[in-house]
C-alpha cells in the first residue's frame, strides 16, 4: 500500500513548490506560537468578563469544567475589556494570512500515505487533524461572528466557539510539544536575514528533510521566500490597518473598513456605534414614552424618567466594548446604581442586581451584575450621553453603564432592577 499511493495529492511528486520546507514552516509557526496563546488567553478572559457564575449570565451553562474561570471580573481599570477583547479580535484577524500560509506550507503532510506507520505517527496525525480543523473552525466562526452573520450558523455561536477553542488549544499544545524541538533546529538551519536578502535568482529548495515538506521534484521558483514572507506580512499589516481603528477613538476610526460598527456615523452626541437597533429588538416609542417606569423590584417604587432625573446625577467617560471587537468611549450621565440600591433598601457592596430590558427575544435581554459592579461609583443608570438624552437606539429612556463590562451587559431599555443578596 505504501509504495502505491492513490493518484493526485497523495503522491509526493504532486507538490512541487521549491519554497516549502521545515525552515519556512517554522517561521510561520513561530509567529503563531506567540500569537495564538494571546488569542486563547484573551478569549478566556472574555468568558470570565461575563461573570458566568451569576444567574443568567452563562451563555454555555452545559459546558461544565470547560467553562471554568479563576476570578471575579474587576471594574478597574475601565478600559481592560476594551483592550483584551480588542486584542482577541484584531490579533485574530491579523494572523489569518499567517495561518493560511502555515497551512499551505504543510499541506503535503495532510496527504501523507499511508496515513500512519506507527502509533506515534497516528497520534501526531490525529493532533494535526484536530489542529487544522480546530483552527479553521475557530477563525471562520470568529470572523462570521464579527461580521454579525449569526444566521449562517446551524448552531449557537457561543458554546460552539468555546468547545472548538478547547479542542484547538489541546491540539495546539500537543502539536507544540511534538514539534518544538524540530522547529528550533529548523529555524537555526537558515538565517532569516540572509533569506530576506535573497531574491528570486538565488532562491533554492531547502535540503531534503525528515518532515517530507521539501518537494521531491521541485519546479522552478516563481517567487522568492523573501517575496512570500513579504506578501504574508504585508497582508497581515493591511488587515491590521483596516481593523484596528474599530477599537480606537480618533482618526483611525475612519480606516476600520473591515469592522461592521467601526466607523464614524456623524458629529451628534448619539452618533456612535449601535450593535442592535431598537426596532430589531422589538422596542418602540410607545413602550418607552411617558408611561414608561423603572420598577425597583421588592418595593412600591415605579420611577418615571423625570423622577430619575431629579436624583443626584453623575457623569463619567466610560467605554463600551463589544465581543465583536469594536469599542468606543462616550460620556454618560445618570444616577448611580448604588443610589438606586439604597432606594430599594439594599446596601451597595452587599447586593447584586438583576437587570431586565424591554427588549423582546434577545439573548441578552436580562443580565446580572455583581456586587462589585453595583458598588462601583461609576456604575450608572445612564439617562443622557454626551450632554443629550439617549436616543432610542442607544437605550432611551435608561440604560446600564458599568465600567469594564462587556457591551451586552450594559443593558439598554431597562424596565426593572432587582437587587438581591450575592449568589452562592
Amino acid at each position: 500500500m505504501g509504495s502505491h499511493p492513490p493518484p493526485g495529492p497523495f503522491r509526493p511528486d504532486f507538490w512541487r513548490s521549491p519554497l516549502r520546507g521545515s525552515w519556512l514552516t517554522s517561521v510561520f509557526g513561530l509567529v503563531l506560537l506567540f500569537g495564538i496563546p494571546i488569542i486563547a488567553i484573551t478569549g478566556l478572559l472574555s468568558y470570565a468578563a461575563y461573570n458566568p457564575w451569576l444567574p443568567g449570565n452563562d451563555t454555555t451553562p452545559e459546558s461544565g469544567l470547560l467553562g471554568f474561570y479563576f476570578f471575579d471580573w474587576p471594574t478597574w481599570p475601565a478600559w481592560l475589556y476594551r483592550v483584551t477583547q480588542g486584542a482577541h479580535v484584531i490579533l485574530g484577524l491579523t494572523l489569518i494570512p499567517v495561518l493560511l500560509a502555515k497551512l499551505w506550507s504543510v499541506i503535503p503532510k495532510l496527504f501523507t500515505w499511508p496515513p500512519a506507520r506507527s502509533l506515534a505517527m497516528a497520534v501526531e496525525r490525529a493532533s494535526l487533524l484536530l489542529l487544522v480543523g480546530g483552527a479553521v473552525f475557530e477563525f471562520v466562526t470568529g470572523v462570521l461572528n464579527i461580521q454579525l452573520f449569526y444566521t449562517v450558523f446551524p448552531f449557537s455561536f457561543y458554546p460552539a466557539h468555546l468547545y472548538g477553542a478547547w479542542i484547538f488549544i489541546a491540539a495546539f499544545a500537543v502539536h507544540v510539544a511534538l514539534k518544538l524541538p524540530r522547529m528550533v533546529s529548523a529555524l537555526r538551519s537558515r538565517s532569516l536575514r540572509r533569506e530576506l536578502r535573497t531574491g528570486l535568482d538565488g532562491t533554492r529548495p531547502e535540503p531534503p528533510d525528515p518532515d517530507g515538506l521539501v518537494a521531491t521534484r521541485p519546479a522552478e521558483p516563481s517567487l522568492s521566500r523573501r517575496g512570500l514572507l513579504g506578501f504574508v506580512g504585508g497582508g497581515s499589516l493591511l488587515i491590521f490597518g483596516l481593523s484596528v481603528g474599530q477599537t480606537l477613538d480618533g482618526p483611525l476610526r475612519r480606516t476600520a473598513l473591515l469592522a461592521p460598527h467601526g466607523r464614524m456615523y456623524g458629529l451628534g452626541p448619539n452618533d456612535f456605534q449601535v450593535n442592535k437597533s431598537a426596532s430589531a429588538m422589538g422596542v418602540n416609542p410607545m413602550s418607552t414614552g411617558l408611561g414608561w417606569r423603572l420598577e425597583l423590584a421588592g418595593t412600591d417604587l415605579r420611577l418615571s424618567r423625570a423622577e430619575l432625573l431629579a436624583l443626584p446625577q453623575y457623569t463619567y467617560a466610560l467605554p463600551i466594548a463589544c465581543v465583536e471587537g469594536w469599542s468606543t468611549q462616550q460620556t454618560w450621565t445618570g444616577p448611580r446604581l448604588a443610589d438606586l440600591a439604597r432606594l430599594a433598601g439594599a446596601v451597595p457592596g452587599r447586593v447584586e442586581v438583576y437587570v431586565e430590558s424591554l427588549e423582546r427575544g434577545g439573548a441578552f435581554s436580562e443580565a446580572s451584575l455583581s456586587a462589585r459592579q453595583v458598588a462601583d461609583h461609576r456604575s450608572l443608570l445612564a439617562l443622557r450621553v454626551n450632554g443629550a438624552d439617549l436616543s432610542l437606539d442607544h437605550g432611551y429612556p435608561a440604560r446600564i453603564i458599568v465600567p469594564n463590562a462587556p457591551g451586552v451587559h450594559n443593558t439598554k431599555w431597562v424596565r426593572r432592577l432587582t437587587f438581591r443578596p450575592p449568589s452562592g
Side-chain angles (χ1 to χ4, degrees), residues 338 341-342 345-351 374:
R342 293 186 184 95
V347 179
R350 297 184 182 179
V351 288
V374 172

Side-chain angles (χ1 to χ4, degrees), residues 99-340:
L99 176 66
L100 293 176
K102 176 69 158 55
L103 294 178
W104 171 85
S105 74
V106 299
I107 196 169
K109 295 286 287 182
L110 299 179
F111 294 93
T112 298
W113 193 266
R117 298 185 180 91
S118 65
L119 179 61
M121 185 177 179
V123 172
E124 179 186 353
R125 296 276 290 167
S127 71
L128 187 63
L129 180 63
L130 292 175
L131 180 71
V132 173
V136 171
F137 180 83
E138 287 299 287
F139 277 80
V140 169
T141 56
V143 169
L144 291 175
N145 177 68
I146 292 167
Q147 298 300 324
L148 306 181
F149 291 158
Y150 300 111
T151 56
V152 303
F153 298 139
F155 46 77
S156 174
F157 167 77
Y158 291 96
H161 203 66
L162 176 65
Y163 302 152
W166 281 116
I167 293 172
F168 174 56
I169 290 170
F172 181 77
V174 171
H175 188 73
V176 170
L178 293 173
K179 291 297 186 180
L180 186 59
R182 177 63 184 142
M183 186 183 80
V184 172
S185 63
L187 289 172
R188 289 175 174 173
S189 68
R190 302 172 81 89
S191 167
L192 176 61
R193 181 176 298 179
R194 186 179 299 116
E195 288 293 337
L196 294 179
R197 292 175 176 174
T198 302
L200 182 61
D201 293 342
T203 299
R204 301 289 184 272
E206 292 186 34
D209 65 327
D211 300 318
L213 297 177
V214 177
T216 58
R217 192 165 58 90
E220 288 297 315
S222 57
L223 181 70
S224 67
R225 290 186 184 86
R226 176 179 68 183
L228 177 60
L229 292 172
F231 179 74
V232 174
S236 289
L237 288 176
L238 179 63
I239 291 176
F240 177 82
L242 294 179
S243 56
V244 69
Q246 69 174 322
T247 69
L248 304 171
D249 291 306
L252 285 179
R253 179 74 70 183
R254 294 177 174 83
T255 69
L257 301 180
L258 298 182
H261 298 301
R263 307 187 73 191
M264 298 298 293
Y265 291 171
L267 299 177
N270 278 276
D271 287 334
F272 56 94
Q273 294 81 353
V274 174
N275 201 12
K276 298 289 177 64
S277 67
S279 60
M281 294 294 99
V283 179
N284 57 62
M286 291 184 61
S287 61
T288 59
L290 293 177
W292 173 86
R293 296 292 185 270
L294 173 70
E295 179 183 347
L296 296 182
T299 75
D300 295 329
L301 293 175
R302 304 292 186 272
L303 301 174
S304 68
R305 198 168 188 278
E307 290 171 324
L308 289 169
L309 285 167
L311 296 174
Q313 303 289 297
Y314 300 89
T315 299
Y316 298 101
L318 294 171
I320 287 183
C322 280
V323 70
E324 293 89 2
W326 68 266
S327 60
T328 181
Q329 180 166 294
Q330 306 295 332
T331 301
W332 310 90
T333 300
R336 288 172 172 163
L337 290 183
D339 291 342
L340 293 172

Side-chain angles (χ1 to χ4, degrees), residues 52-59 354 363-364 366-368 409 420:
W53 53 274
L54 291 173
N57 282 5
D58 194 353
T59 56
Y354 186 62
F364 296 97
E366 301 171 348
S368 293
H409 281 189
R420 59 195 181 191

